[in-house]
Structures are given as C-alpha cells and as structure tokens.
Amino acid sequence: NMALRELSSLEKYLGLKKPNKYSTQGDKKVPVLQNNNGPPLVGLVTIACHLVKEANRPELLGDSAESRAVVQQWLEYTVTKLNSCTKEDIKTILKDLNLYLQDKVYLAGNQFTLADTFMYFGLHPIIMDLAFQEKEQFVNVTRWFDHIQHYPGVRHHLSPVVVLRNRIYTSRHH
Amino acid sequence: MGFGDLKSASGLKVLNDFLSDRSYIEGYVPSQADVAIFEAISSPPSADLCHALRWYNHIRSYQDQKNSLPGVKKPLGQYGPPGVADTTTSSVPAADSKDDDDDDIDLFGSEDEEDAEAARLKEERLAEYAAKKAKKPALIAKSSILLDVKPWDDETDMMKLEECVRSIQMDGLVWGQSKLVPVGYGIKKLQIGCVVEDDKVGTDILEEHITAFEDYVQSMDIAAFNKI
C-alpha cells in the first residue's frame, strides 16, 4: 500500500523511535492509525500532520499563518488532484507547478515542509516517466524535484530519478 | 570554475544559468557557498534572471543565520560551472601607491632594478600563459559517424524529424550533411552524418538523445563509423 509506505518513510524522516502500526479501511485502502488517547485517525494527511506534531516538528507544517495555509493547500492538492490524476491531467499539473516554482525553492515559504515531502512522493512516478526533453521543459519542477529527493532524510522507499545536469535541448549560450 | 564577474550583468547571467536546475550553489541545503556568492553580488538580480532572483531572495531569508550555515567559504573561483573563470573584482581596490614620480627617464636605474626584474618576470609569465592557452592539444581523437534515423511511418514529417536531430547540441558534436533515403512503402529514413570527439560523445548517448524524440523517431542505427 503506497500510503502506508509513505507514512513509514515520513516516520524515518522524523526519526520516530517506534514505527506505528497502521490498518486500512475501505476499498481505497485509506490508512488508519489507532490512537490510544482517542478516536482513530483516518487519512494520509491527518495522520501525517499528527506524526509531525508527535515528533515535535511543528515547523514542518509552516512557520507562519500564511505558510501553514499554503502547506495545507498543497497537501490537499496532492491527495485530491495528484494521486488520482489521468494522463491528460499530467501536462497541466506540470505546467502549473512549473510556473508556481519559478520563484520558489520550496512549496511553502523558504523552508522545507510536509508539502514538499508529499508532493515528492506523489510526483515520483510522473517524473520517473518523463523524457529528457520534458524534464528540461519543466525546468523548475525538475530542479525542485531533484532538490527534494536529495534533501537529507527524505528519500527512503523511492528510487532516485536521474536528472541530467548539462542541458542538451535548451541553448545555454545566449 | 567561477561565474565570470559577479558584479556585472554577464556574470549574473552565468549564475542564472547555473541555478536553473539547482536550488543552491553547492549541494542541497543552504551553506557558506551560498553566503560567499551572495556577498559577492552588488545588487539583486533583475527579474529576467528568474533563477538567480529566486535563489537570491531565498538566501536573503537566511541572512540572520548566515554564520551558522554549514561549510566553509571558499574563493569565488571554486564555485560555479567548469570552464568559466572568476573575474569578480574585490571591493577593496589594490593598493598601488606610486611613491616615486621621477623614474620616467631612467627606467633601468639602480633603484628600479627590483621593479624591472619583477616586471620582466611578470611579462615572462604572461607570455608563458598566453602560449599555453594558444597551444592547441596535439591530437583529439575524432570519428565520423553516419546515422540512419527511421521514422514511424510514411506520414512522419521528415523535416521536423531532421530539425529534432539537429537540435541535439553537445560539446564535441558537429552535425554534417544529410539526405533522405527511401526504404520502401513510401517510408524515407534520414541519413545524417556527424563528426564527434571520441572522449566527449559516444554513440550510445547519441542514440539516447535521438530516440528520445519518440513522436518522430522509431529507431536509430549506425550506418557507418570511421575514425578520422
């Protein structure tokens, strides 16, 4: 189950000593975490946010009111739009992201957040399948993706995607 | 390595290009490398240098933590793309005090012997450097390759296909003449020649790039390969 593997990777990133035991519900296999102190937590994003708070890393959810909102927006985007997109949607998603990332190093503000983690998980199969010239076409998405996959502690269950550093198709001599 | 003159527009262009596929000057977290380059720039990059501007604004947000960023600041020439020298002038002008204004007439007088010696050494070294730069390496191994590039069918736009192939630019690759050769059923293959420097370009990387144009290219074969 992809969602459970993503949660496990997140646990490793957070350095949580004891991995949690998850169950799933429904035919969409939504992850569930049985919480000793209360009702079970249901849903990838819900559980992820809970883990972040448990690990005492609130900055991963944003360090200002604005960036917190942006983080939640991207988490929702990843789960609703990205994880269930069709082939036709992919070009639009990449175009939009490429424009968004032109002046940004991370998705929300100037710090690495959970939004980057889950967008990386979600985009991985898409980026894996891009041809070289498409990776150059979406230069900002590629840059951001290469950055996040190398960010310390992030990549666990996903294979590294090769990104050519010397651009071939776009002229570098202006 | 280096970015040219970081205080000039051309240096900032090199920086912009370098940062198009990188978030940081070195590695994947902000470091002293970023601080070093940030401090060498005299003003924020203009909006058309969008990658340099993105990097600049991002690093600026680390201003109050800059001393605690990892790494060690190195000279500017240790950063950036290979093949470009650092020519950024430091903000402190070189101290060149002329304390003797009367040496126009007697250039090789006794007091000026040391200076003359130093000047001659400098000339020698400059000449050596220029000679080294001008000297072309004796032999570069090159090969002449003839490639057969096959389209999907007879409706493939062969002009576009040729355009795609010729758009492949690499250091050590020069495209030559081409022609269309009929192979049957109305299908034509593109036969195109190129000259490559053996240590820079191999046939497998050429094949990778050509077959990446999946919409036009069905396959690529080597029709002929000759060492020059």
Side-chain angles (χ1 to χ4, degrees), chain A residues 4 22 35 63 69 82 100 106 118 123 161:
Chain A
L4 294 188
Y22 300 100
N35 202 359
D63 55 4
L82 189 59
Y100 179 81
Y106 299 105
F118 280 97
L123 274 183
V161 176

Side-chain angles (χ1 to χ4, degrees), chain A residues 106 110 143 147 150 165 167, chain B residues 17 21 23-24 54 58:
Chain A
Y106 299 105
N110 279 307
R143 166 191 37 90
H147 176 174
H150 282 99
R165 273 302 170 75
R167 289 180 297 152
Chain B
D17 215 34
D21 53 10
S23 296
Y24 301 104
R54 168 201 17 101
H58 180 68

Side-chain angles (χ1 to χ4, degrees), chain A residues 88-106:
Chain A
E88 289 80 41
D89 295 331
I90 289 178
K91 282 278 145 73
T92 316
I93 290 175
L94 289 176
K95 242 179 67 182
D96 291 344
L97 260 180
N98 198 55
L99 196 57
Y100 179 81
L101 287 169
Q102 184 175 287
D103 59 351
K104 296 177 191 65
V105 176
Y106 299 105

Side-chain angles (χ1 to χ4, degrees), chain A residues 102-106 110-111 132-133 139-140 143 146-147 150-152 165 167-169 172 174, chain B residues 17 19-24 28-29 50-51 54 58 61-62 65 167-170 208-209 212-213:
Chain A
Q102 184 175 287
D103 59 351
K104 296 177 191 65
V105 176
Y106 299 105
N110 279 307
Q111 301 286 343
F132 285 131
Q133 74 259 42
V139 60
N140 300 310
R143 166 191 37 90
D146 196 40
H147 176 174
H150 282 99
Y151 194 85
R165 273 302 170 75
R167 289 180 297 152
I168 314 292
Y169 301 107
R172 66 198 310 209
H174 306 286
Chain B
D17 215 34
L19 291 169
S20 67
D21 53 10
R22 287 174 175 84
S23 296
Y24 301 104
Y28 298 94
V29 292
C50 65
H51 304 292
R54 168 201 17 101
H58 180 68
S61 74
Y62 287 92
Q65 329 166 10
S167 77
I168 298 171
Q169 303 282 329
M170 285 178 79
E208 224 175 73
H209 290 323
F213 292 107

Side-chain angles (χ1 to χ4, degrees), chain B residues 2 35 68 90 121 123 158 172 177 198 201 205 218:
Chain B
V35 178
S68 57
S90 58
L121 262 175
E123 282 304 303
M158 293 309 288
Q177 288 191 324
D198 293 339
V201 181
I205 198 147
Q218 189 236 62

